[in-house]
Structures are given as structure tokens and as C-alpha cells.
Amino acid sequence: MSISEENLPYKEKIELKSWPNSTDIDSYRKMHGKSLENIEEHWANVAKELDWFKPWDKVLVADPQPPFYKWFVGGKLNASYLAVDRHANTWRRNKLAIIWEGEPTDSSGNPLEVRKLTYYDLYREVNRLAYAIRSKLGLRKGDTVTIYLPMIPELPILMLALARLGVIFSVVFSGFSAQALADRVMDAKSKVIFTADAFWRRGKVVRLKEVVDEALKGIQFVEKVVVFRRMGLKDTPMVNGRDIWWDELLSDVPMNTYVKPEEIESEHPLYILYTSGTTGKPKGIVHDTGGYMTLLHATMKWVFDIKDTDVYWCTADIGWVTGHSYIVFGPLMEGVTEVMYEGAPDYPTPDRWWRIVERYGVTILYTSPTAIRTFMRYGDDWVKGHDFSTIRILHSVGEPINPEAWKWAWKWLGRGSVPFGSTWWMTETGGILISHAPGLALIPLKPGTNGLPLPGIDADVVDDEGKPVQGKRGYLVIKKPWPGMLMTIWGDPNRYIQVYWSRFPGMYYAGDWAIKDEDGYIWVLGRADEVIKVSGHRLGTYEIESALVSHKAVAESAVVGVPDPVRGEVPVAFVVLKSGVNPSQELVKELRNWVRTAIGPIAEPANIVFVSKLPKTRSGKIMRRLLKQVLMKQPLGDTTTLEDETSIDEAKKAYEELA
Ligand code: WT7
């Protein structure tokens, strides 16, 4: 089911000859090779198509030295200007920017709440909010704030208002717990938090403001919490002097308020986004403005072939990087009409998404393997009869897409005829780097592949020594800097060097296993480190272990990801209890809940296996690889570094008893 080195359909090629940009692999590779001869010229040609207040002096500067890079140095621009002013001043002012659906429906499944915002509406809202944020909250360029909001139009409006002022924001996914939120607020030292009273998820009211209050219990430096009334709950707790309603903040700001967008240096941080790594707390990935917007512009054109007639829908949550890049900044910069949906994909019925596709005539759908597998599970009856004829491009993101899921989506949603790729990238890369490019030059599809790197992207697969390998599993690396790349880790430049640029000197290390096939297509197989992808969401097993050992009953823990037919991977925890504590079903429940509370529901272990010791090397390193093999019932391979063989036998037995 999941993709591995052995079962890739390398040879299966699907040519879409009638596609206007259809091309052969050799021509694409030639073009790609040419783009790498002079990446500065290549990217400067893309950047020229943005509106700059001041042109750059230098395309690329290593500053202070590699691996720190600055793009379009000397140039000034504004992401909010690109996303709204540019359109509000043209014929697009009356074009729909966002079509938003809330989750609740009537008894026949029609949405009870729909909001449609034109580019002019968006322009007004962004300006008014920017004004209020500057004049009433006193926020200025370079300040940091945290955003903890659900999928409502106010979220992109707020991000654009902050970008207009040069205020650096950190969006925290609304499914994260109070503890996870607190960690991120502290790391970013945000003085202001933006949130909502509550939102709908699978028919339930999720009360967000209470989570913020909980998170802020131990934090003194937060001065203001701005609360949007999404539900209009009467009993939302408000702290006197600290908390303020969003509508009150805006109440006396005139409709026609204009805030001149700050002229932002290209390398000024647009945002921080926290993501999980191998060890330690989540890292604050810092993105610049000029390079980032340039990569988004390129990929909106090349990967999505965006046209003014399109209705675009990226089904991600803005709390993750996909939403930042491909719901907020990318599509709005291109003047796209896009769909935004608040709730669960299968609520109230498993065809909720297909009704949305039909209702608005979605033409470009960007979604995830885990969503596709969920819909596959519900069966063909839920897709049969729905009209997918408007869809002309499909793409997937977040984790490898197994060929079965690819084929199912291509058959039903793509009617066996549209370009459908699996776009590889990560929080750190800012935007898509490896993907089919139907807007530029479309090479044959292969079910499950990521395809060739985009022009200007020097991606490769290398062995342990950093030498290129083909037809064999290796590590994915990027050999040249690209616009949109992370600038650093917030407050921790050394960690930036160590995590991404130390494994193979001079190359960006992605942390993924991949294969390059005989055509040069790249197939990312999954993470090569202690990171797992649960329903496409990135989690560090280390974070789950830390949460577990903070429970009074737990002495030690090792968490591994195991394949799951729908969610891709799920965490399973091996737990050593403190002496005197007895394992029980109650304790299993309690520990699972404990992790939910510490991180969020997505991190909850699917299983907890109690053992008396963990398999370790002689130097004391936990051998998670062996535990994973136990769970997957695979041969163990080399166990010579194992200190105590009985630890593995015990883990095996404990797991078998559980199953
Ligand atoms: C990791 C990054 C990029 C936005 C969402 C994820 C995996 C992502 C693919 C794909 C195979 C993929 C990788 C990567 N990944 N897209 N199309 N095929 N794997 O961003 O949360 O930072 O996760 O997601 O393992 O390293 P992220």
C-alpha cells in the first residue's frame, strides 16, 4: 500500500498529448539544465514580473556567509500590496477573491453560511485592519505576533494586514493544544495574540479562546488578545484590559481607510512558522519577503497554470505552510478566485467536498493523499454522480501518494484525463520545488512520482557520501540556493546550519528518502529522520516522547511511526513505567489523552506498548529503527550495536500480546 523502493511503478507512463504544454522528458531536461547554468538570471526573470517599489541591486548574496542567503538584496516590495492593491486598482477589483463556506448545513446539505469577498472587499478589510493594528495596538515593522485562528476569511485578511505593516507573524494551527501554543508564543515573544471565540468542526463547537487563556497562564509579556466573534458565543471569557473584540477594534475605522504599504526590504521576514524536527522543540522557520513571493509566483504559473477564469481550491489549513503559500500569498498575488472551507471534509456527509466542487465549479484542486484515501474508504457511491467536469488540474501534497490513491483520484476527480502531480516541498522550502509543471511544460505522468525538479531547482538524490545515486534509495538534497528558502531558524542560526547544511556540506539536506529513476523522476519515499507524517501533518517523535515522560507514571519512552492505510503514518509509543506503577487499560487511555492535551489530537499515539526496557546502543541511544521493524513485523537486520538483545524480544512479545 505505502510506497517503497520495491513497488514503484517506474515504467508506467501516462502521456497527455493533447495538453497544450505537453512535452517530452529530454526537452524538459534540456530546459532545466539551462536554467541551472545561471540561476540568478533565471530567478531574476521571474522576480521581474512582481511589482517592486525599488529594484534589487543584487540577485543573490551569501550573507554573512553560506549557508545564509539573501535574495534580491536592495529591492523593496510589499506582499500585501502584491495580493490586494495590485488587483483592487485594475478590472479585478470586482472579481471574487475568496468564496468561503462555513461548516454548518441545512438538512439537504446546503451551506448555511457563505461569504464572498471581491478583491475590493479584501483591499478594504486589509486596510482597515492594518490601520487598527497600527494605531490601536501600536504594532510596527519588525514586531512579532501570534495568530491562532480557524479557517475563516479573517485569517488571510489579518496575515495581509500584518504583512502590509511589516509585522512578523507566527500562525499556530488551531488544532494545537494550549501547551504547543504557549511554546510558540514564548519562542516568538509575541506581545499580541489574535484568535476567535470558537469555530465549527464536525458539528461540534471548538472553543479557541479558552485555549489561549490556558496557554497564557504562565506568560507575562502578552499585552493584548484580539478575539474575533466567529460564533458569537455569549460566555466567552474576556480578561479586562488585555482582551479586546475584533469588531470593537475596527468599530470607528472608516470604510475607505487607506494605509500606505510599508516599503519592505526583500530580506525582511514575512513570517515565522514552527515545524517539527528530529530533536528539541519545534523550530521557527523564517521566510523572507522577496524570494518567497518570487517562488510563489513561479509555482502558481508553472505548477497550477493559473488563469483568470479558474476557480482554485487548496484544501489545506492555513495553519500549515501549504495554506500560507497556496491559500494566502500565492493565489491572492495572482488575482485568483479561490474557495475556502471551514470544516471537516466528510461533514455532514462524505461528499461534502464534491458538493463544493460542483457548487463553485472548481477548476484546480490541490489536496492531500490522506484526504483521497479517506474518500476512497467511503466507497465510490459517494463520488458517483457528482460533476467533476470543471476540474482541469489536480495536485497532491504532504506525503508520498501511493499509486492506488493516485489512480482512484485521477479516475474519479480527474476523469482519467487531467494533469495530476505530487508536489514535493516542505515548510523550509517555502514553495513547491519538485513537481509536474502543466503551466510550463508537462512531461508524462507516473502514478505516485514527484516528477522532475522545477527549473532553477538543483535537486538530487545522493548516497551516504553525498554522491549522486540513481535507481537506488538515497537522500534528497538541493545543491543550489533557491528563492523562498528559509533564511534561518528564529533565534537559533547555529541550529539552522547544523540541521540543514551539515549532513552534506554545501547541500541543503531535506531529511527525506528518495529515489531517482531512469528518467530522472524523483520519488520521495518518506522521512529519513525521527519525523513522522500523520495525515500529512508533520510531527517529531521526540515531541511525543517528551510529552509522555512528563507524565508522572512514565520513566522512558520511544515513539515510532508505523504505516496506516488512511493516515499515512500513526505514532506508536513504547513506554517504560516508573517502578511501582502497573500497566493497565486505564493508564493507556490516560497517556493517550495526556499527549492530546500536550500537543493536540493529531499526536495521540494509536497504540501504547508497555515494556521494561528500551532497545539501546551501547552508548545509550534508543534504536527506534528496530522498534519500527518489530511493529512492521520485518526482519531486524543488523543488531550488533544493540546493548541488550532481550529488550527487542520483549518489545516483540508485548506488541504481539497487544494485537
Ligand atoms: C515533508 C515536509 C509541503 C507542504 C506540506 C508539508 C513530505 C511533502 C510530499 C510529496 C512525498 C512529501 C516530505 C517532506 N512531503 N510533500 N508530494 N511527496 N512527500 O510540509 O509539514 O514541512 O512536511 O512532507 O517528507 O519532508 P511539511
Side-chain angles (χ1 to χ4, degrees):
M1 177 84 178
S2 63
I3 84 171
S4 74
E5 201 169 350
E6 290 77 40
N7 64 8
L8 299 181
Y10 288 149
K11 313 262 176 215
E12 202 174 331
K13 278 183 215 168
I14 300 168
E15 288 187 58
L16 300 180
K17 289 225 175 85
S18 59
W19 184 262
N21 287 319
S22 177
T23 189
D24 60 90
I25 300 169
D26 280 343
S27 315
Y28 185 93
R29 278 165 56 176
K30 231 174 259 157
M31 170 191 68
H32 182 258
K34 197 148 189 318
S35 74
L36 294 186
E37 282 168 17
N38 189 341
I39 56 162
E40 296 193 20
E41 186 188 312
H42 169 77
W43 289 114
N45 281 330
V46 177
K48 270 199 289 219
E49 295 178 3
L50 271 50
D51 288 348
W52 295 78
F53 299 133
K54 180 179 171 292
W56 57 86
D57 306 314
K58 278 212 149 100
V59 177
L60 177 62
V61 177
D63 181 19
Q65 74 251 331
F68 295 91
Y69 293 99
K70 290 183 175 149
W71 283 89
F72 308 113
V73 178
K76 292 190 176 179
L77 76 173
N78 187 296
S80 168
Y81 177 87
L82 290 174
V84 292
D85 303 49
R86 264 228 291 205
H87 314 305
N89 296 332
T90 70
W91 67 270
R92 285 203 189 108
R93 80 193 252 118
N94 299 321
K95 180 181 172 177
L96 286 184
I98 297 176
I99 305 172
W100 175 84
E101 265 197 37
E103 190 187 72
T105 62
D106 64 17
S107 54
S108 37
N110 295 315
L112 291 173
E113 291 169 276
V114 175
R115 285 169 64 190
K116 294 183 177 174
L117 286 93
T118 64
Y119 273 94
Y120 192 61
D121 293 332
L122 200 60
Y123 171 80
R124 280 188 152 173
E125 293 307 323
V126 168
N127 272 287
R128 291 182 70 220
L129 190 56
Y131 178 82
I133 286 170
R134 189 173 64 188
S135 63
K136 299 193 184 162
L137 303 176
L139 290 168
R140 291 287 181 274
K141 183 174 166 215
D143 289 343
T144 52
V145 303
T146 294
I147 304 176
Y148 188 60
L149 279 171
M151 285 290 285
I152 52 175
E154 279 62 31
L155 177 49
I157 290 169
L158 173 62
M159 290 161 78
L160 294 170
L162 293 164
R164 199 171 188 84
L165 304 172
V167 175
I168 305 163
F169 53 84
S170 150
V171 179
V172 178
F173 174 53
S174 57
F176 274 133
S177 69
Q179 187 54 52
L181 174 61
D183 288 345
R184 287 157 176 78
V185 170
M186 276 190 285
D187 191 79
K189 301 203 175 55
S190 305
K191 288 206 187 73
V192 179
I193 317 286
F194 295 86
T195 189
D197 53 355
F199 66 102
W200 289 107
R201 184 78 190 180
R202 213 163 253 123
K204 293 211 176 71
V205 177
V206 183
R207 302 179 72 108
L208 270 192
K209 172 58 168 55
E210 266 105 311
V211 184
V212 174
D213 290 345
E214 177 68 30
L216 295 187
K217 268 184 186 157
I219 302 177
Q220 304 307 324
F221 56 76
V222 171
E223 290 162 9
K224 284 274 175 268
V225 177
V226 183
V227 188
F228 184 77
R229 292 187 230 244
R230 156 69 188 110
M231 309 275 293
L233 301 179
K234 296 273 177 304
D235 55 349
T236 302
M238 295 291 273
V239 175
N240 230 335
R242 186 195 72 181
D243 300 352
I244 167 167
W245 293 108
W246 192 295
D247 44 298
E248 281 168 13
L249 191 71
L250 282 170
S251 60
D252 55 358
V253 183
M255 219 35 196
N256 60 355
T257 302
Y258 172 72
V259 174
K260 194 173 168 305
E262 290 277 336
E263 298 195 359
I264 305 282
E265 298 79 16
S266 175
E267 69 271 22
H268 180 74
L270 179 59
Y271 63 79
I272 308 166
L273 183 54
Y274 287 85
T275 191
S276 301
T278 302
T279 53
K281 294 213 166 190
K283 311 170 282 207
I285 302 301
V286 183
H287 281 295
D288 73 336
T289 305
Y292 179 73
M293 295 303 274
T294 299
L295 180 63
L296 295 188
H297 175 56
T299 49
M300 285 309 297
K301 288 202 310 182
W302 301 342
V303 177
F304 296 105
D305 186 36
I306 204 76
K307 303 266 194 291
D308 262 312
T309 42
D310 279 313
V311 176
Y312 165 99
W313 187 18
C314 166
T315 63
D317 191 292
I318 294 174
W320 306 96
V321 75
T322 310
H324 282 60
S325 297
Y326 295 107
I327 298 177
V328 183
F329 292 104
L332 296 176
M333 168 169 51
E334 303 301 314
V336 168
T337 295
E338 67 175 333
V339 172
M340 191 176 160
Y341 170 56
E342 175 184 40
D346 50 359
Y347 188 87
T349 49
D351 60 349
R352 175 64 185 266
W353 274 16
W354 317 139
R355 287 166 167 256
I356 293 176
V357 167
E358 280 176 334
R359 194 155 29 244
Y360 307 112
V362 170
T363 61
I364 300 173
L365 185 68
Y366 191 26
T367 190
S368 67
T370 190
I372 292 170
R373 291 190 299 256
T374 304
F375 293 124
M376 270 174 89
R377 277 261 161 135
Y378 281 119
D380 296 351
D381 284 348
W382 288 103
V383 281
K384 243 178 233 163
H386 283 290
D387 180 10
F388 298 108
S389 63
T390 51
I391 294 181
R392 66 180 193 93
I393 290 181
L394 278 174
H395 280 301
S396 135
V397 66
E399 56 177 315
I401 182 161
N402 47 306
E404 299 86 344
W406 189 96
K407 286 177 182 165
W408 185 88
W410 196 56
K411 172 182 165 190
W412 288 104
L413 314 177
R415 300 152 348 267
S417 67
V418 310
F420 180 16
S422 170
T423 65
W424 179 88
W425 58 296
M426 47 200 303
T427 306
E428 291 87 340
T429 69
I432 298 166
L433 299 192
I434 306 175
S435 170
H436 279 81
L440 180 70
L442 183 68
I443 54 172
L445 311 176
K446 298 186 189 186
T449 189
N450 301 107
L452 288 170
L454 292 176
I457 301 301
D458 196 3
D460 207 349
V461 178
V462 299
D463 65 12
D464 275 311
E465 268 77 59
K467 292 202 191 66
V469 280
Q470 202 154 7
K472 211 165 100 208
R473 190 177 86 159
Y475 303 97
L476 181 65
V477 295
I478 319 285
K479 294 175 164 174
K480 287 193 171 80
W482 67 95
M485 65 190 290
L486 75 164
M487 300 180 71
T488 186
I489 293 174
W490 186 254
D492 203 348
N494 289 329
R495 197 170 168 203
Y496 164 73
I497 302 173
Q498 182 248 318
V499 173
Y500 304 107
W501 301 91
S502 300
R503 180 74 177 80
F504 303 108
M507 302 182 204
Y508 171 85
Y509 173 65
D512 278 328
W513 290 119
I515 298 187
K516 190 164 76 170
D517 73 14
E518 58 194 30
D519 293 318
Y521 282 49
I522 289 174
W523 303 67
V524 171
L525 303 170
R527 297 291 307 182
D529 56 8
E530 260 84 67
V531 170
I532 60 173
K533 303 283 326 232
V534 182
S535 299
H537 301 321
R538 178 165 161 187
L539 292 170
T541 50
Y542 174 86
E543 290 161 66
I544 305 176
E545 290 165 4
S546 306
L548 284 165
V549 295
S550 72
H551 186 279
K552 61 181 187 311
V554 177
E556 257 191 310
S557 147
V559 172
V560 294
V562 294
D564 177 271
V566 174
R567 289 188 285 168
E569 278 184 298
V570 290
V572 171
F574 289 85
V575 167
V576 180
L577 293 172
K578 283 194 181 141
S579 60
V581 183
N582 291 322
S584 68
Q585 271 317 303
E586 281 70 64
L587 190 53
V588 168
K589 242 172 125 185
E590 193 177 319
L591 291 178
R592 289 176 63 168
N593 254 325
W594 182 262
V595 175
R596 279 178 82 94
T597 318
I599 304 171
I602 49 169
E604 182 181 330
N607 257 321
I608 293 197
V609 188
F610 293 116
V611 288
S612 70
K613 52 186 173 290
L614 296 170
K616 289 184 185 167
T617 61
R618 267 171 218 114
S619 56
K621 252 190 99 188
I622 299 172
M623 296 185 77
R624 294 182 185 78
R625 170 180 69 83
L626 294 180
L627 289 172
K628 184 164 178 165
Q629 279 156 337
V630 165
L631 294 174
M632 292 173 69
K633 302 197 173 66
Q634 282 174 348
L636 295 182
D638 186 11
T639 57
T640 48
T641 50
L642 192 59
E643 191 196 20
D644 178 355
E645 295 258 354
T646 63
S647 59
I648 273 295
D649 300 334
E650 192 202 334
K652 246 189 212 162
K653 222 174 124 231
Y655 184 58
E656 276 159 19
E657 274 164 21
L658 203 86

